[in-house]
Amino acid sequence: MAGPRVVIIGAGVVGAALADEVSARGWTEVTVVDQGPLPATGGSSSHAPGLVFQANPSKTMTELARYTVEKFCSLEVAGEPCFLQVGGLELATAPDRLAELHRRHGWLTAWGVEARLLTPEECAERHPLLNRDRVLGGLLVPTDGLAKAVPAVEAQIRRATARGVRFLARHEVLDVLQSEGRVTGVRTDHGELPADIVVCCAGIWGPRIACMAGMSLPLTPLAHQFAWTGPVPALAGQTEEAVRPILRHQDADLYYRDRFDRLGIGYYGHRPMPVSADDILSVDEAEGMPSVLAFTGEDFADAWTETRSLLPATQEAKVEEGINGLFSFTPDGNPLLGESPDVAGFWVAEAVWVTHSAGVGRAMAEWLVDGYCSSFDLHECDVNRFEPHQLAPEYVLARDCQNFVEVYDILHPLQPAGEPRPIRTSPFHGRQQELGAFFLEANGWERPQWYEVNAPLVAGRSVPTPNDWAARYWSPIVGAEAQATRETVAMYDMTALKRLEVSGPGAAAFLQRMCTGKVDKSVGSVTYTLLLDHDGGIRSDITVARLGRDLFQVGANGNLDLHWLTRHLPADGTVQVRDITPGTCCIGLWGPLAREVLQPLADEDFSAAGLKYFRAKRAHVGSVPVTAMRLSYVGELGWELYTTADLGRKLWDTLRRAAGPLGGIVAGRGAFNSLRLEKGYRSFGTDMTYEHDPYEAGVGFAVRPDKEDFIGKAALERRRDGVRRRLTCLTVDDPRAVVMGKEPVYDGDRTAGYVTSAAYGYTIGKGIAYAWLRAELAVPGTVLHIGYFDRTVEAVVAEEPLFDPAMSRLRG
């Protein structure tokens, strides 16, 4: 079949890859337009230095890069390769960076990419220009190399053209046409092109094109310096373009590549130089490439000084030419992929560097043709992941510039984002400040990690200090708060969790269709259930509380859940979905004494019989109306108590005043995470994502296969008996060996999987790490090892949950 009419805007590495991939899947009524000439269109692809390093803390980003490498290795133009697989070498010139290389080696090993750690001598053997005395060690990835972007574009254009795809050079898009909320085509300076689907792959011009479709794209073009030396005498006579591995000297924000007898130098250490997409000239207006700005030599001075120290042979050369080339940055450093929430058929594939381009082309082609992406988990890349405040121009500019500054920094997994902050604060924020809260950020919310007021609780307790890396953004107070929660009662600020209201006469039937569990139950019921994609992969785990005949409250994981529900709403208007998070707040009141705090304050019966586990009711706590749900993600008796934002502070004060005489405390996210892992509760986005199904992830109990049809049901039935991997609980006896997540797990010398969530269990007195393992290893008692920096940590597969398997504390 020819497929729908598709117009792709932009013929750089992303547009060309998408045209190739989508036509290979049978869609050939495809037109690719670009304002520039082909194959060097004048965008970022045309000047990209081409260095492809696959190491990334994101499994998805590494896999996108790996596919790009594999595909580019298969491409050639006129007998010349499109990829020079010379390897990639990352250097350490400081102890912290050497430790970081061990961590990066762990990522690569976990994600299945070959990598080796090198001694200083081995680094110098691989790259003889190095000053051996400056180097402490290195990380070699043999499959890294140099992507020749323009030839790769040409090769993919030729493949797509052979299948019937049409490429139109020198066609500038002037408008995105739409009717009744759906795209109908584009208007160019050569006329209109009708389309059922339009995909924006315009790179640095992306925000301008997206605006034509009414879409705010959180992307900032920033100038990045790249320079070429003149001839380097030590390289004289080099007849091959590149023979040494590409280099990253991240301690100085530098990278290097060969080009015959010259060196290319890329630099991120200069001041951020943002440019508005509206100010970038068109191809016809620019004297040269519009994506290339004049080189500012004064910004490059430190880079050249450092280069001559690291690579002494360059002292006999000089910088002959340079550019300030424009590249795309986003608030979280990930691409922007997916469909507009407002204009059906308008898609974007933006903020994609050459490194990930072919992978993104494949991912988008699968998504468009099949309705889902089967090769990659794209939840970190979905353009609809952002909260409204994250689309504000001031926010986008600040965070995009920060990501430029931090592109080579050593970032801790818990390290909070910088300015602008604070952005979102719960009604309890002032009280939390008074109690010495240490705040981290969650979806823009200031969320306490622990409270200094609880420092006296540490005395006399067994709270081991973890290793130096795990001890960052940690305090022994975390352990004291976790133990105190199990002993008395604690208040947790749960406001940062997304809350959606689903209402209308069709609400029950709609949620039945969307969810894996039965949610069309009595008023007051609460159901833990899943949202699946059409291939049976987990899109989210949610709670659905029925608060009225036609009224439900959904506890969701983020904006992607809102988008997923909204895009599946029936066209007859019988269902409405609304984000109620900003106007509401939530306190988790949990612990064995929780009922003694709540019942005297309430006008309803909160006994075990009066409100059973996984039930909800409306009540008053003192003078505050609340929606109380008997849920607990810390494994203790208690409730989630919801009220409106204006009454939040009153609720906080009321509960705290009542809890104080019973030894009750306030507690932070550090304790919460420890307690939820002791109980075996999964976290979507960390423990399970789109690539996993419920049976692998250990949440098959949330699926009702006997219920009427739900999204993903047919695909899930096909996957049920083919479980090859499992999310598995591991315990670690060494109290200092607290891992942080994303570390490789070994069965002997063989990689067996990777860690997802980890923390110390202060109740059970062991380290906890959940990990994806080959199914045959997920047997209690199996001894494995976790790779952690330059050591391995013994871990044992354990039965879960580790705490209160009989659920007696929850149901009491």
Side-chain angles (χ1 to χ4, degrees):
M1 77 175 188
R5 297 169 300 174
V6 180
V7 171
I8 298 172
I9 303 172
V13 283
V14 181
L18 176 56
D20 180 31
E21 296 282 347
V22 79
S23 61
R25 285 163 175 76
W27 283 14
T28 54
E29 283 199 39
V30 179
T31 301
V32 184
V33 298
D34 199 292
Q35 61 175 325
L38 301 176
T41 62
S44 299
S45 303
S46 301
H47 68 73
L51 288 82
V52 175
F53 290 94
Q54 296 167 83
N56 196 290
S58 164
K59 181 172 181 283
T60 296
M61 297 300 283
T62 296
E63 290 174 341
L64 292 170
R66 180 169 53 195
Y67 180 80
T68 300
V69 167
E70 292 170 355
K71 183 176 183 181
F72 279 19
C73 282
S74 71
L75 300 176
E76 61 177 40
V77 175
E80 293 297 318
C82 293
F83 195 80
L84 305 178
Q85 202 156 41
V86 293
L89 177 59
E90 300 187 24
L91 302 174
T93 59
D96 284 354
R97 182 66 61 178
L98 185 61
E100 173 72 356
L101 292 188
H102 283 277
R103 189 166 72 116
R104 297 174 72 81
H105 177 261
W107 298 337
L108 288 161
T109 303
W111 312 148
V113 177
E114 180 189 356
R116 284 201 301 122
L117 290 158
L118 303 185
T119 66
E121 291 75 20
E122 290 172 321
C123 291
E125 288 172 10
R126 293 278 180 170
H127 204 295
L129 299 187
L130 284 170
N131 179 350
R132 157 67 185 81
D133 294 336
R134 291 284 315 277
V135 179
L136 300 181
L139 174 64
L140 177 70
V141 182
T143 52
D144 284 350
L146 287 167
K148 300 173 75 67
V150 173
V153 168
E154 183 175 356
Q156 291 176 102
I157 286 175
R158 290 182 180 183
R159 286 160 50 127
T161 301
R163 302 187 192 103
V165 174
R166 183 172 56 150
F167 286 81
L168 301 177
R170 298 288 186 180
H171 278 59
E172 183 177 358
V173 173
L174 304 177
D175 198 10
V176 175
L177 307 177
Q178 48 195 296
S179 176
E180 297 181 352
R182 177 158 202 94
V183 75
T184 59
V186 300
R187 187 170 75 250
T188 76
D189 55 354
H190 290 272
E192 294 185 0
L193 297 169
D196 305 302
I197 293 172
V198 173
V199 188
C200 178
C201 305
I204 54 177
W205 290 279
R208 185 191 301 180
I209 299 296
C211 187
M212 297 175 186
M215 189 175 184
S216 181
L217 209 60
L219 180 159
T220 303
L222 281 110
H224 160 56
Q225 291 200 303
F226 188 82
W228 289 105
T229 70
V232 178
L235 303 181
Q238 181 174 315
T239 57
E240 294 182 60
E241 180 177 347
V243 296
R244 279 162 289 277
I246 54 177
L247 279 182
R248 271 209 279 207
H249 176 28
Q250 293 169 294
D251 288 324
D253 296 305
L254 285 161
Y255 62 82
Y256 304 93
R257 59 154 294 178
D258 288 11
R259 189 177 71 178
F260 301 105
D261 64 346
R262 290 161 164 78
L263 284 178
I265 307 169
Y267 186 44
Y268 286 103
H270 56 80
R271 61 191 169 89
M273 305 180 203
V275 176
S276 170
D278 292 330
D279 294 335
I280 302 172
L281 299 177
S282 68
V283 170
D284 290 332
E285 293 171 325
E287 291 185 12
M289 276 192 283
S291 60
V292 172
L293 306 181
F295 187 63
T296 51
E298 64 275 13
D299 290 302
F300 197 73
D302 290 344
W304 184 233
T305 299
E306 178 62 20
T307 295
R308 287 181 292 177
S309 173
L310 183 73
L311 307 172
T314 59
Q315 294 175 12
E316 301 179 64
K318 62 179 181 178
V319 175
E320 283 198 346
E321 57 181 303
I323 63 171
N324 286 4
L326 295 177
F327 289 95
S328 301
F329 283 77
T330 63
D332 58 9
N334 288 331
L336 308 173
L337 311 178
E339 188 176 15
S340 163
D342 301 312
V343 180
F346 181 78
W347 293 69
V348 300
E350 290 289 348
V352 181
W353 293 5
V354 174
T355 300
H356 309 102
S357 57
V360 166
R362 178 175 180 174
M364 290 295 295
E366 290 178 353
W367 200 350
L368 288 165
V369 175
D370 301 330
Y372 56 87
C373 178
S374 58
S375 297
F376 309 97
D377 162 36
L378 296 181
H379 87 276
E380 296 175 317
C381 306
D382 194 314
V383 69
N384 295 293
R385 65 189 181 269
F386 297 102
E387 295 289 323
H389 74 272
Q390 294 173 312
L391 300 177
E394 177 185 284
Y395 179 95
V396 171
L397 179 61
R399 291 291 168 90
D400 290 359
C401 288
Q402 180 183 345
N403 276 328
F404 178 90
V405 171
E406 294 179 346
V407 70
Y408 279 172
D409 286 2
I410 299 171
L411 301 177
H412 191 274
L414 294 178
Q415 185 168 324
E419 297 300 324
R421 190 179 172 210
I423 297 175
R424 309 174 84 181
T425 56
S426 78
F428 326 129
H429 185 252
R431 293 290 191 248
Q432 292 165 344
Q433 288 178 308
E434 294 169 0
L435 298 173
F438 180 85
F439 292 100
L440 297 181
E441 187 183 14
N443 297 324
W445 292 97
E446 295 294 315
R447 183 167 66 185
Q449 192 73 358
W450 69 81
Y451 294 85
E452 289 294 334
V453 71
N454 292 326
L457 292 175
V458 177
R461 295 181 181 274
S462 176
V463 180
T465 300
N467 58 81
D468 292 346
W469 184 249
R472 298 187 190 184
Y473 306 102
W474 176 87
S475 165
I477 298 171
V478 168
E481 290 178 354
Q483 292 175 355
T485 301
R486 298 246 188 261
E487 296 162 358
T488 56
V489 61
M491 293 165 51
Y492 289 82
D493 181 0
M494 305 300 291
T495 302
L497 299 183
K498 176 76 86 175
R499 293 173 290 285
L500 308 176
E501 180 185 273
V502 181
S503 61
F510 169 69
L511 288 171
Q512 280 287 99
R513 163 73 176 152
M514 299 301 297
C515 299
T516 61
K518 183 179 179 181
V519 297
D520 188 4
K521 299 187 291 191
S522 62
V523 173
S525 64
V526 182
T527 306
Y528 174 82
T529 185
L530 307 172
L531 301 176
L532 301 184
D533 212 330
H534 296 277
D535 66 343
I538 301 170
R539 288 196 64 97
S540 191
D541 64 333
I542 61 175
T543 55
V544 179
R546 191 168 200 172
L547 303 182
R549 181 178 179 275
D550 299 325
L551 178 65
F552 296 81
Q553 182 171 311
V554 174
N557 282 298
N559 217 51
L560 289 179
D561 294 347
L562 172 61
H563 175 65
W564 182 252
L565 293 175
T566 301
R567 66 179 284 197
H568 287 91
L569 285 174
D572 60 9
T574 58
V575 185
Q576 295 79 45
V577 177
R578 186 167 66 97
D579 183 0
I580 61 172
T581 312
T584 57
C585 58
C586 178
I587 295 174
L589 181 70
W590 296 312
L593 301 184
R595 185 172 284 119
E596 294 181 42
V597 173
L598 185 61
Q599 187 60 78
L601 301 171
D603 62 349
E604 293 286 341
D605 182 6
F606 281 92
S607 67
L611 186 62
K612 295 180 180 178
Y613 188 50
F614 265 81
R615 297 288 297 178
K617 69 165 56 174
R618 298 265 176 76
H620 289 87
V621 175
S623 58
V624 179
V626 301
T627 298
M629 299 185 194
R630 193 170 166 198
L631 311 175
S632 171
Y633 285 92
V634 301
E636 294 291 339
L637 168 68
W639 300 267
E640 293 178 358
L641 302 172
Y642 298 89
T643 191
T644 52
D646 60 318
L647 292 169
R649 188 153 162 168
K650 181 65 174 177
L651 178 62
W652 176 278
D653 290 344
T654 300
L655 292 172
R656 186 146 193 271
R657 198 161 41 241
L662 298 174
I665 65 165
V666 292
R669 187 69 179 185
F672 177 94
N673 197 48
S674 171
L675 296 170
R676 71 108 179 156
L677 286 176
E678 288 184 330
K679 196 60 185 164
Y681 292 139
R682 278 67 168 142
S683 173
F684 178 81
T686 303
D687 299 316
M688 53 191 185
T689 65
Y690 296 0
E691 67 175 302
H692 306 117
D693 71 43
Y695 305 116
E696 298 172 327
V699 288
F701 63 87
V703 178
R704 290 282 297 270
D706 59 335
K707 67 172 279 196
E708 68 274 19
D709 194 26
F710 55 82
I711 291 177
K713 181 180 180 181
L716 191 60
E717 288 173 348
R718 294 192 294 269
R719 295 172 69 155
R720 184 169 188 173
D721 297 325
V723 175
R724 297 187 300 275
R725 58 185 175 179
R726 293 191 184 278
L727 184 61
T728 308
C729 179
L730 305 175
T731 59
V732 177
D733 286 337
D734 184 350
R736 282 191 54 79
V738 176
V739 301
M740 299 294 293
K742 302 186 178 181
E743 296 87 2
V745 180
Y746 298 101
D747 175 27
D749 294 331
R750 187 180 176 194
T751 305
Y754 60 90
V755 174
T756 58
S757 295
Y760 190 78
Y762 298 101
T763 311
I764 66 168
K766 292 178 182 287
I768 306 169
Y770 271 77
W772 281 101
L773 300 177
R774 300 195 307 272
E776 67 270 19
L777 296 176
V779 178
T782 302
V783 178
L784 302 167
H785 289 83
I786 299 171
Y788 191 60
F789 290 93
D790 59 350
R791 60 178 291 202
T792 58
V793 176
E794 185 174 281
V796 179
V797 175
E799 291 274 9
E800 58 172 327
L802 299 169
F803 177 78
D804 189 27
M807 305 280 282
S808 59
R809 295 171 77 100
L810 280 168
R811 299 180 184 279

